[in-house]
Amino acid sequence: MHLSPDHIVFWEYGFLKLNATIVYTWVLMFVLAVGSKAITRKLSIGLERSRWQNLLEVVVIAIRNQIKEVGLRQPLTYFGFLGTLFVFIAVASLFTVIPGYEPPTGSLSTTTALAICVFIAVPIYGIKEQGLGGYLSSYLKPAPLLLPFNIIGEFSRTLALAIRLFGNMMSGTMILAILLTITPFIFPIVMSALGLVTGMVQAYIFSILATVYIAAATSDHADHASRRNHGATEPGVPDAGKGQKIK
């Protein structure tokens, strides 16, 4: 029983190692790239659409709506990054039905890399929406004394993202391996199905937390713009350009 795919080494030369985490990650990326190209090669805008296009549209619409529900007013701006996170983690979990496959998300190095991507993306989107000064000023809220805690929070939530996903994926693999040893027949099949559900849930949790972090980093600018636009159309407010009077 392997606690992590890092322990499965296919090739080693000196300090260079080619383990299962690297191999399965690249295999997964290759499958996603080829699959995406194949599905989107012949997209149809008519009523007759392929099953794969229907499935793709369901996934795209669901992710877009979820991003919007969190509070990001322009979901397509963040769709590429957040959608990729969800699809990668979800497909990595679904592939566990293949014998001999080890999900790369069961490695702390993979989950840490995904968490670092979120750590980098949050300030990028925040600066893009609020500007550098506006984003940095958010660390002084609600009081300047909280600056150290806000900075620590940035690192702690990144660590939490990595460990949460790693812990859940690793524990699922361990439980399944133990059950295969004790009862190698029907019960492990049920646990495998439960593991697939758990993997999908973890993909959703990871991507939704990333969405929440980005929404928090861009909320000040968006709220200010919303209040400004709302105030411009508030009923009873005179339009200075047209010289209207309040009745």
Side-chain angles (χ1 to χ4, degrees):
M1 180 180 66
H2 300 281
L3 297 180
S4 170
D6 290 339
H7 300 155
I8 305 175
V9 180
F10 296 120
W11 177 82
E12 183 176 1
Y13 183 78
F15 65 91
L16 298 177
K17 290 184 180 180
L18 185 64
N19 55 30
T21 300
I22 299 174
V23 172
Y24 291 136
T25 298
W26 280 94
V27 169
L28 185 59
M29 291 190 297
F30 177 79
V31 171
L32 290 176
V34 173
S36 300
K37 182 64 176 179
I39 296 174
T40 58
R41 183 178 56 181
K42 296 181 179 180
L43 292 179
S44 173
I45 59 175
L47 296 178
E48 296 183 0
R49 304 178 183 182
S50 66
R51 296 178 181 178
W52 288 108
Q53 181 175 343
N54 289 330
L55 176 61
L56 178 63
E57 290 182 359
V58 170
V59 174
V60 168
I61 293 174
I63 295 175
R64 185 188 62 186
N65 291 341
Q66 190 62 58
I67 294 174
K68 188 174 181 180
E69 289 177 4
V70 170
L72 294 173
R73 293 172 176 80
Q74 297 179 345
L76 293 181
T77 302
Y78 317 96
F79 179 83
F81 175 69
L82 296 173
T84 301
L85 283 178
F86 174 80
V87 172
F88 178 83
I89 299 174
V91 175
S93 301
L94 290 175
F95 276 17
T96 54
V97 298
I98 301 176
Y101 172 83
E102 295 284 343
T105 49
S107 168
L108 185 59
S109 59
T110 301
T111 59
T112 300
L114 294 175
I116 290 175
C117 290
V118 177
F119 177 78
I120 296 174
V122 169
I124 290 177
Y125 285 119
I127 294 172
K128 181 179 178 181
E129 289 292 331
Q130 304 186 61
L132 181 59
Y135 175 75
L136 294 178
S137 65
S138 64
Y139 286 96
L140 303 176
K141 299 177 181 178
L145 292 176
L146 296 179
L147 174 62
F149 299 98
N150 289 333
I151 295 176
I152 294 174
E154 291 287 334
F155 292 95
S156 62
R157 71 186 185 187
T158 302
L159 180 63
L161 273 178
I163 295 179
R164 180 188 292 110
L165 180 59
F166 166 70
N168 283 281
M169 298 304 298
M170 183 191 67
S171 61
T173 303
M174 289 181 60
I175 292 174
L176 181 60
I178 294 173
L179 290 175
L180 283 172
T181 304
I182 300 175
T183 56
F185 296 106
I186 299 177
F187 193 65
I189 298 178
V190 178
M191 291 303 300
S192 296
L194 181 61
L196 292 178
V197 176
T198 302
M200 298 299 294
V201 171
Q202 293 305 315
Y204 172 79
I205 292 176
F206 191 96
S207 58
I208 204 68
L209 286 176
T211 307
V212 170
Y213 297 156
I214 293 175
T218 60
S219 61
D220 291 341
H221 176 80
D223 291 342
H224 176 73
S226 177
R227 288 193 297 268
R228 182 178 57 189
N229 294 334
H230 180 71
T233 58
E234 187 73 25
V237 178
D239 187 345
K242 297 183 180 179
Q244 296 179 351
K245 298 180 180 180
I246 302 177
K247 295 183 181 180

